[in-house]
């Protein structure tokens, strides 16, 4: 395959998407991936990010044209470049590549590209695991959670329960991880987003997905209790109570039972909502809005 220079690859990438010429798009993406690898190897962080952004932009255009194989190829390229960025210690490039992957997954889900959106969510988790927990700041974790929520929500709207389940699993892993690290605000943020996806699952009559949300919330709630994250544990209880009502109102089969059992497994008495609880939730919702506006 002929290797293109950066300008040629970008031009051919976009024009070939318009022409729906899959092989030429692959050629352009392969060339850009190689160029980005070289920049990373040469410690040219800014140049590497410029090329990665071009890969993302071409991929976004391909998604709009329904080119799922191109979408998957692009996501895998982003994952490969993220691994190199992690090895080189380029945290900014790593985080930006994760966001680009999440946005690509969101667009793929919105355009009913099920395989592409599932690969994007899985690749996001792989990128997430490339850096140690202590290197992740609060906004980075919230951004990651929001993008998983977006992929799940878009999948639910398009009727893709398998993709929704994948996103729920990933978001549940985030919730458990931050709870185990005693990061209460980030835990509550993940719980709020799981509840949001759970409500959408109930509206779409996705019984299995709602059950999966309940189990993820239960696991996060138990870890919150173990680590004395009182506000997070309380949020877990509230979320399960809300979702139980949603499941019953929509006459779902299994999720009302699953949510009830989840509640029974860690519900604790004598805790009621206070102004402090309400204030904490509002604070975290404002943080989510701020982070989302910068994505």
């Amino acid at each position: 395959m002929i290797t293109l220079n950066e300008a040629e690859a970008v031009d051919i990438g976009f024009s070939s998407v318009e022409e729906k010429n899959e092989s030429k798009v692959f050629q352009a993406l392969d060339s850009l991936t190689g160029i980005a690898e070289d920049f990373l190897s040469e410690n040219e962080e800014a140049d590497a990010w410029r090329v990665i952004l071009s890969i993302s932009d071409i991929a976004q255009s391909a998604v709009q044209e329904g080119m799922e194989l191109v979408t998957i190829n692009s996501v895998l390229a982003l994952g490969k470049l993220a691994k190199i960025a992690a090895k080189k210690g380029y945290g900014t490039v790593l985080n930006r590549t994760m966001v680009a992957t999440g946005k690509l997954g969101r667009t793929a889900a919105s355009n009913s590209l099920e395989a592409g959106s599932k690969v994007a969510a899985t690749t996001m988790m792989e990128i997430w695991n490339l850096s140690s927990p202590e290197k992740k700041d609060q906004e980075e974790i919230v951004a990651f959670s929001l993008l998983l929520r977006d992929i799940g929500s878009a999948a639910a709207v398009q009727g893709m329960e398998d993709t929704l389940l994948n996103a729920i699993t990933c978001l549940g892993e985030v919730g458990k991880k931050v709870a185990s690290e005693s990061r209460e605000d980030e835990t509550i943020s993940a719980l709020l987003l799981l509840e949001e996806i759970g409500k959408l699952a109930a509206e779409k009559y996705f019984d299995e997905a709602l059950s999966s949300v309940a189990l993820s919330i239960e696991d996060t709630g138990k870890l919150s209790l173990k680590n004395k994250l009182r506000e997070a544990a309380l949020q877990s209880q509230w979320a399960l109570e809300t979702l139980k009502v949603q499941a019953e109102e929509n006459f779902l089969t299994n999720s009302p039972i699953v949510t009830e059992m989840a509640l029974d497994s860690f519900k604790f008495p004598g805790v009621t909502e206070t102004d402090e609880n309400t204030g904490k939730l509002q604070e975290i919702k404002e943080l989510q809005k701020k982070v989302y506006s910068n994505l």
Side-chain angles (χ1 to χ4, degrees):
M1 185 177 286
I2 299 171
T3 300
L4 306 168
N5 66 39
E6 184 181 343
E8 289 173 334
V10 172
D11 288 344
I12 289 174
F14 281 114
S15 62
S16 299
V17 167
E18 290 180 9
E19 297 163 4
K20 292 194 175 182
N21 188 327
E22 201 171 76
S23 62
K24 281 194 171 183
V25 182
F26 284 142
Q27 181 184 8
L29 290 171
D30 285 344
S31 295
L32 288 170
T33 302
I35 292 167
E37 285 183 66
D38 290 341
F39 278 136
L40 288 169
S41 298
E42 295 162 5
N43 300 320
E44 299 290 346
E45 188 175 358
D47 290 327
W49 170 243
R50 182 186 66 246
V51 180
I52 291 170
L53 188 59
S54 293
I55 293 171
S56 175
D57 289 343
I58 291 169
Q60 288 281 356
S61 298
V63 171
Q64 300 293 347
E65 296 296 330
M67 302 174 76
E68 187 153 39
L69 288 177
V70 172
T71 304
I72 294 169
N73 182 278
S74 304
V75 168
L76 296 177
L78 292 174
K80 178 182 180 181
L81 293 169
K83 289 176 184 176
I84 298 171
K87 287 180 182 177
K88 298 289 287 186
Y90 295 145
T92 300
V93 172
L94 182 65
N95 187 45
R96 287 177 174 177
T97 304
M98 181 275 293
V99 171
T101 304
K103 288 181 175 179
L104 191 53
R106 177 174 66 191
T107 309
S110 297
N111 284 271
S112 299
L113 301 186
E114 186 161 12
S117 53
K118 286 172 73 174
V119 170
T122 301
T123 302
M124 280 182 72
M125 285 302 298
E126 292 173 355
I127 295 173
W128 163 269
N129 289 322
L130 289 173
S131 61
S132 56
E134 60 270 14
K135 291 186 178 179
K136 296 182 175 73
D137 64 30
Q138 185 181 63
E139 292 195 5
E140 180 183 346
I141 294 170
V142 172
F144 182 73
S145 303
L146 286 165
L147 287 166
L148 286 172
R149 184 278 313 270
D150 280 0
I151 293 173
S153 297
V157 170
Q158 296 300 322
M160 301 187 302
E161 189 172 11
D162 282 349
T163 301
L164 172 59
L165 282 163
N166 190 44
I168 290 166
T169 298
C170 293
L171 187 52
E173 287 301 312
V174 175
K176 288 184 284 186
K177 187 65 176 175
V178 291
S180 67
E181 295 165 4
S182 297
R183 301 180 73 151
E184 185 159 42
D185 287 2
E186 292 90 331
T187 303
I188 293 172
S189 175
L191 288 165
L192 287 169
L193 298 176
L194 281 166
E195 180 183 351
E196 187 178 331
I197 289 181
K199 290 177 181 177
L200 190 53
E203 290 172 12
K204 296 293 181 179
Y205 302 98
F206 288 149
D207 196 21
E208 184 181 355
L210 183 50
S211 295
S212 180
V213 169
L215 293 172
S216 290
I217 292 173
E218 177 187 9
D219 289 342
T220 302
K222 286 179 178 178
L223 284 167
S224 298
L225 278 175
K226 180 180 177 181
N227 289 293
K228 297 181 171 55
L229 306 180
R230 179 182 178 280
E231 305 292 338
L234 184 56
Q235 179 57 37
S236 299
Q237 182 176 324
W238 289 341
L240 286 170
E241 288 170 349
T242 299
L243 294 177
K244 180 175 179 291
V245 171
Q246 294 270 321
E248 290 170 346
E249 287 180 348
N250 285 279
F251 302 103
L252 298 178
T253 306
N254 295 317
S255 49
I257 300 168
V258 173
T259 51
E260 179 64 36
M261 291 177 66
L263 269 171
D264 289 343
S265 72
F266 78 94
K267 186 189 292 188
F268 49 104
V271 179
T272 57
E273 182 176 347
T274 66
D275 290 340
E276 182 182 349
N277 303 140
T278 306
K280 171 65 75 175
L281 289 181
Q282 190 57 40
E283 180 184 315
I284 292 168
K285 288 177 181 178
E286 288 300 321
L287 172 63
Q288 289 177 337
K289 287 180 184 177
K290 175 191 169 186
V291 171
Y292 199 74
S293 67
N294 291 326
L295 283 177

